[in-house]
Amino acid sequence: MNDKKFSSSSYFQTIQDKKIIGSKCVDCGAVHLPPREICATCLSENMEEVSFSGKGELAAYSVIYVPPTAMIEAGFGRDNPNVAGIVKLVEGPMISAQIVGLDTKNPAEIKIGTPLKATFVERGDRVFLAFEA
Amino acid sequence: MRKSRKLNRGVAVVGVGMSNFGAFPGMSSRDLFVDAFKEMRTSVDKGFDPKEIEAFYLGNFSGDLFEGQAHQAPMLADWVGLSPIPAARLEGACASASVAFREGLLGIASGMYDMVMVGGVEKMTDLHISKVTDALATAADITYEVSAGFTFPGFYASMASAYMHQYGATPETFMRVGIKNHENGALNKKAQFGARIPDLMEAKKTKALQKGKPIPTWKDEIEFLSDDRANPLIAWPMRLFDCSPVSDGGVALLLVSEEIAHQFSDDPIYVIGSGSASAGALHSRPSLTSIPSAKLAAQNAYEMANVTAKDIDLAEVHDCFTIAEIIATEDLGFFDAGKGGIAAEEGLTSRQGPQPINTSGGLKSKGHPVGASGAGQIVEIWKQLRGQAGERQLDKSPRLGLTHNVGGTGQTCNVHIFERR
Ligand SMILES: [Zn+2]
């Protein structure tokens, strides 16, 4: 494993520890989740760790009846669809995540803007960041 | 830094060919491309010697995953007798063929070549559908997007959810796009699903009658398309008929420099605008109801061509999903943000409407062999501009056509503008 501070392996390691750690640009203040080594706003490499509260709201979603293999292996499918969404975090960034605790029987009733909080779900031998209503 | 640029010299398309699009067991990418090449040869008005082709650019998303075959450009060049010319495969997911087209365009415009071939090919139907879903998902960010449980229908469905929320569209808005594209595709003999929705409904009723089952009583297309059994949900709000199919197909295009175009063609079609842009993951963008790379590629193409959206007579846009066509018509400037859905509902984008979109049937009806689709769009524009589109030919003698080809959810987008003089 590499020892980079802001990498996909460092990010998923913090998720395994049930923490949400992104990066913040010391020069321009932009916050990034997942963390980046190079600021996407100003290209600075001067980044520090920033902890996210896990609070946000639903920006977009789909109830997925034909899931990818990894979700089928986790028990999802036509009769038990998974919800994938884009979450706008209170700190600013948006992130893709599984959304749990919604009524998938009535997808049209799910509301954009629903307040969400982070939760951690296990699939296979890994922990993933998810959000619940 | 974005700068307005011009091509160093003009480029024209003087030949096009495409295989049928569909599911063809036993046919490889090689066979599909050979069909396209043969037709391209016969399409050149005054003929040409294929040995004059100086380079080959091939769009192919993932022969690696779909067929277990990478590195197809030199293989296909050899198979049509063109070795040892330079042959390169370009990959930009579902925009692979327009990436290849732009490289071929730049190859001629730079003065490096006078004649190049651009192709696109994909053979998707040999793989089990669940593996196709996974293969297509590699066009998104596997680490940070697909791990959330997304599929491609899921990404576009999410954009649809945001669009519905922001603009008050309904699933019926999306269905109107599919109905229109099937109307067009029914007039395209090469289309994979070249049947009108009302004809599909009749066929299903006849089948039920023959089997002695209860005959469905849909009162119209919308009721049929809202029926969970006839049109199952794939990723809410996208249903089966909102999604382009899994397809096999190949396309070949012949490009030459403007100065020599009339040596080969009575009616060359000139490439007057080219725009290309990239973007990060869907969640990283400021808007979920617009594709920033499409807007930028369009802006660059319009500037190069010195035209505006109002001047475009017809467009082939990337309708991998019905919502994608609506967003495309807004990003390209044909309709204001939030108005593309209404335009579709009002028939403004039909063949008879003021802004015809996807006269070929689009990816939805014609088929979406991903690495070939962007080149297939150019085939339609070429034929329409030359008045050779048969039953689906537009009456108004179009002069300017546009193609819009998206890779992923817009990580890549290429826009090209074509002119008949
Ligand atoms: Zn910065």
Side-chain angles (χ1 to χ4, degrees), chain B residues 90-237:
Chain B
L90 286 300
E91 191 267 307
C94 308
S96 295
S98 59
V99 174
F101 182 79
R102 189 170 148 97
E103 291 304 312
L105 176 74
L106 298 180
I108 293 176
S110 70
M112 179 70 91
Y113 304 120
D114 292 322
M115 179 186 284
V116 307
M117 180 166 69
V118 171
V121 76
E122 210 76 56
K123 168 70 192 184
M124 301 170 72
T125 66
D126 280 355
L127 206 60
H128 187 270
I129 185 66
S130 64
K131 297 289 173 218
V132 171
T133 301
D134 289 343
L136 289 172
T138 66
D141 188 326
I142 288 292
T143 308
Y144 294 130
E145 293 186 288
V146 179
S147 61
F150 271 115
T151 57
F152 260 90
F155 286 121
Y156 278 93
S158 293
M159 294 167 83
S161 78
Y163 191 92
M164 289 164 75
H165 174 73
Q166 193 164 336
Y167 299 120
T170 68
E172 184 180 331
T173 312
F174 310 129
M175 290 169 188
R176 293 288 171 198
V177 172
I179 293 167
K180 183 263 295 175
N181 286 350
H182 276 271
E183 291 284 335
N184 291 345
L187 303 177
N188 186 345
K189 288 185 180 64
K190 292 193 172 178
Q192 182 167 6
F193 290 109
R196 299 168 61 244
I197 301 289
D199 295 338
L200 288 172
M201 291 163 64
E202 280 311 309
K204 284 191 185 262
K205 286 180 184 171
T206 307
K207 204 168 162 190
L209 185 68
Q210 283 165 352
K211 287 188 169 176
K213 289 187 176 166
I215 300 165
T217 55
W218 309 296
K219 74 175 186 330
D220 58 18
E221 293 103 313
I222 297 299
E223 206 170 293
F224 165 74
L225 291 172
S226 305
D227 178 340
D228 283 341
R229 292 175 60 113
N231 189 21
L233 281 160
I234 302 297
W236 188 92

Side-chain angles (χ1 to χ4, degrees), chain B residues 18-24 190-192 248-251 366-369 372 376:
Chain B
M18 70 180 260
S19 72
N20 289 329
F21 281 9
F24 307 116
K190 292 193 172 178
Q192 182 167 6
D248 306 331
V251 178
K366 184 174 58 181
H368 186 18

